[in-house]
Amino acid sequence: KATVSVLYCIQLASQKLDEETKMDLPIEDTATNSQKLRARQALCTVVVVYLCWEYWAGSGDMFQWHPICMTVGYMALMAEGTSIGRRISKARGLVERKNLIENHMWVFSLCFVLVGVGFAIIYRGKELKNKPHLTSWHGQVGFTAGIAMLLQTTLGFSLYYQLPAKLNLSPSVRSMLRPLHLYLAIASSVLGVVALSFGFYTNYAVIKFDTYMRAAFALVAVLFHGLAFARC
């Protein structure tokens, strides 16, 4: 009976929170943010599809999958995952918050997989051609971004499945994990977009695009992530 009573109180509190949050939420601001979000998603989709098409129309070499995976991962999915994560604190009720957290987790998981495939392809390609690794700013920053993403993803899953509590970590340690996850996400996003921008100045990109297009794509990548941090 006590458990049922507690659950009933939680349900009532959740319903009241939903009602109060909806009443306090500026309708015009919500509509404006929604329009900005859809505009950013549409523009991002167009740019990413165009870039992937250009990369796909290559020589047929295995390497062409590296920029495709990294473009979809860093330019599209990471920006979308960041935008979802930034909207969690503004969720209207517990149900919306739970949905945003799950969407954030799965979008970043797919991003992590694609980036991992991209790293595997470039590593295999250099090994086959007997070329040294991490000799450029693009490679070095990209590798650092990958490490940050690995730590961010691992910590994010541990928080979602409440592993710190199950491992009986002290409250002081547990209180630092969520901010650490946020800082790693910021580092991963910033380093990722920097590496992506450097990628537009590699020999491969120089062949594909002219100077102005490469500069425009680099700026657009920064713009997408900037809008994502602005919850758009």
Side-chain angles (χ1 to χ4, degrees):
K1 292 183 179 179
T3 303
V4 173
S5 300
V6 171
L7 292 175
Y8 180 69
C9 291
I10 293 175
Q11 183 179 8
L12 289 178
S14 176
Q15 291 175 352
K16 185 177 180 180
L17 178 62
D18 288 344
E19 293 173 358
E20 292 177 352
T21 307
K22 288 177 181 178
M23 287 190 295
D24 295 338
L25 189 67
I27 297 176
E28 293 182 0
D29 291 348
T30 303
T32 302
N33 288 337
S34 180
Q35 291 173 357
K36 291 179 180 178
L37 173 63
R38 288 194 294 270
R40 194 262 305 163
Q41 290 172 335
L43 179 59
C44 184
T45 300
V46 171
V47 173
V48 169
V49 168
Y50 173 77
L51 285 172
C52 289
W53 176 261
E54 288 294 324
Y55 291 138
W56 176 257
S59 60
D61 187 78
M62 178 180 63
F63 173 80
Q64 68 187 26
W65 286 101
H66 171 72
I68 290 176
C69 289
M70 294 306 192
T71 299
V72 176
Y74 277 118
M75 187 176 286
L77 294 178
M78 177 170 279
E80 185 63 25
T82 299
S83 176
I84 295 172
R86 292 284 292 155
R87 300 199 303 272
I88 291 174
S89 62
K90 299 295 183 180
R92 294 172 293 177
L94 299 178
V95 174
E96 183 178 351
R97 177 181 173 83
K98 179 177 181 294
N99 291 336
L100 286 172
I101 290 174
E102 290 182 350
N103 291 339
H104 171 74
M105 180 181 68
W106 292 118
V107 169
F108 258 109
S109 297
L110 181 56
C111 174
F112 179 75
V113 170
L114 282 177
V115 170
V117 172
F119 273 116
I121 289 172
I122 193 64
Y123 177 84
R124 179 60 176 168
K126 285 184 175 291
E127 286 293 306
L128 290 175
K129 296 178 181 179
N130 197 27
K131 291 185 177 181
H133 299 279
L134 307 179
T135 58
S136 65
W137 280 106
H138 171 61
Q140 293 167 5
V141 176
F143 179 77
T144 307
I147 296 298
M149 180 182 286
L150 175 61
L151 296 174
Q152 169 206 353
T153 305
T154 302
L155 183 55
F157 270 104
S158 68
L159 290 171
Y160 181 79
Y161 290 106
Q162 301 180 356
L163 292 183
K166 294 177 181 178
L167 294 174
N168 295 320
L169 297 181
S170 64
S172 60
V173 173
R174 295 207 303 267
S175 65
M176 294 187 296
L177 296 180
R178 199 170 298 278
L180 178 59
H181 175 64
L182 173 61
Y183 298 145
L184 287 171
I186 294 173
S188 178
S189 179
V190 172
L191 291 170
V193 75
V194 170
L196 191 65
S197 299
F198 281 149
F200 290 116
Y201 292 89
T202 59
N203 294 331
Y204 183 77
V206 169
I207 297 174
K208 285 287 183 181
F209 311 106
D210 63 35
T211 303
Y212 296 107
M213 290 190 69
R214 287 186 284 116
F217 288 138
L219 290 175
V220 165
V222 175
L223 174 64
F224 289 155
H225 282 258
L227 290 174
F229 275 107
R231 299 188 180 94
C232 295

